Amino acid sequence: MRFVIPLCLLPAVVAAQPPKRQPVVLTDEARALHKDCLVVDGHNDLPWQFREKKDLSFLTLDIRRPQKGIHTDLPRLRAGGVGAQFWAAFVPASTRKDHAAVKMTLEQIDVIHRLVMAYPDDLEFARTADDIVRIRKAGRIASLIGVEGGHSIDDSLGVLRTYYDLGVRYMTLTHSENTGWADSATDKPNSNGLSPFGEDVVHEMNRLGMMVDISHVSADTMRHVLRVTRAPVIFSHSSALALADHPRNVPDDVLRQMPKNGGLVMVNFYSGFIVPEAARMRKRMFEVARDLKAKYPDEKEFQAALDQYRKDNPIPRGSIHDVVDHIEHVIRVAGIDHVGLGSDFDGIDSTPEGLEDVSKYPYITQELLNRGYKAEQVRKVLGENFLRVFREVEKAAGKK
């Protein structure tokens, strides 16, 4: 028998679209709380912007002044209440093929050191958790280094140790491609997690007191690291797979291991990792970039082709609500002690509405309050969780 629904009844049986969530309005309560919190961001790619713009002496991008076209400058960092910032020493994974990665990474580490020295009234270099507390108390922004991608050590523990001596306090085990010893989330599996040398890398990082960052790695690599690490791990800029199905995000079974490990998921702000439809559209992003790089070996031609691809395939931006949804999901699955912030500012081409740049962190505080979180819980999310993890990594290394 065939049933026909009268047209007049259709509105009653068609599922309504969820209403668009309203912009977050900042209150005096949120401003006061945010000002009193330690705000730590796990990942900012400003150092690569200097390289891209061929401005390694900071003559064009003087971040004392508001800068158009990037997400970060000192006035906006101050407006955002940032107390500690990890600056990414990133070089492309492709540099591994011609053994240029170490040289370029050292240059990026040098850029970060000189950046901090160029703005002594606002920035100060930090090597320890105690440094972060002291520097913030002095009214400056604690600046730390994270190396983004294990290709940057060129399979050398000696290089890894040298990076630590230069102040690097985390290393992301892979970037967009596998290393010879760890699988990336966006490449075909090679080691099924870590190779024996990959385990050696993790253990040496534990011994040094360098945080093991498992953003960008495959889910099997995440699980393998959690089996062998002797210290808490971090995801410096990753979001929740259950909400946005992109391989860069963290599956729930890994989130459930965070309490036992003591680690931390610092939520990424990139639209392509937080909005379900955008994640679907960006699943092939790294593969497309590799294909275009092979087709256009000239860097300018490659960048133009990549920009055109992004222009031809725009993604929905989402909003601050989507980011806080990911924070809440991590809280529900892993617990309030295991979530933080890892914006990926200046390394992403799409930001959510309401989180356009580094000035917008107070709006996260506001939205957490709007959702019923208490002040002590907000403090944990914004930075106290990270400080705890850093101290535990130092303790595991015998440095405290």
Side-chain angles (χ1 to χ4, degrees):
M1 184 178 293
R2 185 164 176 260
F3 293 94
V4 178
I5 302 175
L7 290 176
C8 63
L9 296 181
L10 279 176
V13 297
V14 175
Q17 291 295 316
K20 183 177 179 180
R21 292 184 282 190
Q22 296 301 307
V24 177
V25 178
L26 202 57
T27 64
D28 290 342
E29 177 191 10
R31 286 191 185 92
L33 173 59
H34 192 85
K35 186 177 180 180
D36 195 47
C37 289
L38 170 65
V39 180
V40 180
D41 182 86
H43 195 91
N44 185 300
D45 276 297
L46 178 65
W48 184 252
Q49 294 293 327
F50 290 110
R51 191 179 193 99
E52 286 276 273
K53 293 172 173 42
K54 296 180 173 55
D55 187 31
L56 299 185
S57 296
F58 321 124
L59 298 175
T60 303
L61 290 180
D62 180 359
I63 61 170
R64 280 174 296 206
R65 299 193 299 268
Q67 292 292 329
K68 294 181 180 180
I70 61 174
H71 302 135
T72 309
D73 52 48
L74 290 172
R76 286 182 289 177
L77 282 167
R78 291 297 197 179
V82 176
Q85 178 66 68
F86 267 95
W87 305 108
F90 162 78
V91 302
S94 59
T95 58
R96 175 172 171 260
K97 296 179 177 65
D98 56 6
H99 300 284
V102 173
K103 173 181 176 290
M104 288 180 64
T105 302
L106 286 170
E107 289 172 348
Q108 291 306 107
I109 291 171
D110 175 66
V111 167
I112 295 167
H113 277 283
R114 290 189 300 105
L115 174 69
V116 173
M117 289 188 291
Y119 302 103
D121 293 338
D122 295 285
L123 307 177
E124 184 175 341
F125 196 71
R127 293 174 180 265
T128 67
D130 285 348
D131 282 348
I132 292 175
V133 175
R134 173 184 57 77
I135 291 166
R136 182 184 179 276
K137 189 174 181 180
R140 291 183 288 275
I141 300 166
S143 295
L144 303 99
I145 303 175
V147 164
E148 189 177 15
H151 58 279
S152 285
I153 67 169
D154 200 16
D155 301 337
S156 169
L157 295 181
V159 171
L160 178 70
R161 288 188 282 269
T162 299
Y163 289 163
Y164 182 83
D165 289 342
L166 291 171
V168 173
R169 288 302 177 264
Y170 78 65
M171 182 175 75
T172 320
L173 298 189
T174 71
H175 191 249
S176 57
E177 299 177 9
N178 300 335
T179 63
W181 44 270
D183 288 342
S184 168
T186 49
D187 202 350
K188 295 177 181 178
N190 182 52
S191 301
N192 296 315
L194 297 173
S195 73
F197 179 72
E199 293 187 0
D200 290 343
V201 171
V202 170
H203 290 153
E204 185 63 5
M205 292 174 73
N206 293 161
R207 187 191 70 80
L208 290 169
M210 184 187 293
M211 285 170 278
V212 178
D213 176 20
I214 49 177
S215 286
H216 277 289
V217 307
S218 71
D220 282 341
T221 305
M222 297 174 195
R223 297 174 188 118
H224 198 151
V225 169
L226 287 167
R227 288 198 302 272
V228 301
T229 184
R230 298 163 185 160
V233 303
I234 64 167
F235 291 84
S236 67
H237 57 307
S238 293
S239 298
L241 184 72
L243 299 191
D245 187 11
H246 191 289
R248 272 283 281 107
N249 287 339
V250 188
D252 278 1
D253 70 288
V254 174
L255 290 178
R256 284 191 285 270
Q257 295 185 59
M258 287 297 100
K260 181 179 179 181
N261 170 262
L264 184 66
V265 179
M266 306 180 86
V267 170
N268 192 310
F269 296 178
Y270 178 49
S271 303
F273 300 153
I274 64 162
V275 181
E277 176 61 13
R280 184 192 66 77
M281 295 175 67
R282 281 292 184 259
K283 267 189 177 182
R284 293 187 62 251
M285 176 177 62
F286 294 100
E287 182 182 341
V288 167
R290 283 195 292 271
D291 291 345
L292 290 174
K293 187 69 174 176
K295 187 175 180 180
Y296 302 102
D298 179 81
E299 185 64 24
K300 286 185 178 179
E301 291 181 358
F302 163 68
Q303 285 297 334
L306 187 59
D307 290 344
Q308 188 62 49
Y309 172 82
R310 289 167 171 161
K311 189 179 295 184
D312 293 341
N313 298 272
I315 59 175
R317 289 180 60 191
S319 73
I320 185 173
H321 299 285
D322 296 291
V323 171
V324 179
D325 288 346
H326 282 261
I327 292 171
E328 278 207 294
H329 184 82
V330 177
I331 292 171
R332 283 194 295 269
V333 179
I336 189 68
D337 295 321
H338 303 286
V339 67
L341 306 178
S343 67
D344 212 358
F345 279 135
D346 281 311
I348 54 179
D349 59 17
S350 179
T351 59
E353 293 179 19
L355 284 176
E356 290 83 3
D357 57 53
V358 297
S359 71
K360 303 297 185 179
Y361 295 100
Y363 292 86
I364 294 176
T365 296
Q366 182 67 64
E367 180 59 15
L368 288 169
L369 290 175
N370 291 348
R371 298 190 187 198
Y373 289 92
K374 306 299 183 187
E376 60 270 21
Q377 295 173 310
V378 174
R379 292 177 192 278
K380 287 185 175 186
V381 174
L382 295 185
E384 287 185 358
N385 285 339
F386 171 80
L387 203 62
R388 171 190 58 78
V389 169
F390 196 1
R391 292 193 192 283
E392 290 179 7
V393 170
E394 290 175 329
K395 184 178 179 181
K399 297 188 182 299
K400 291 291 178 182

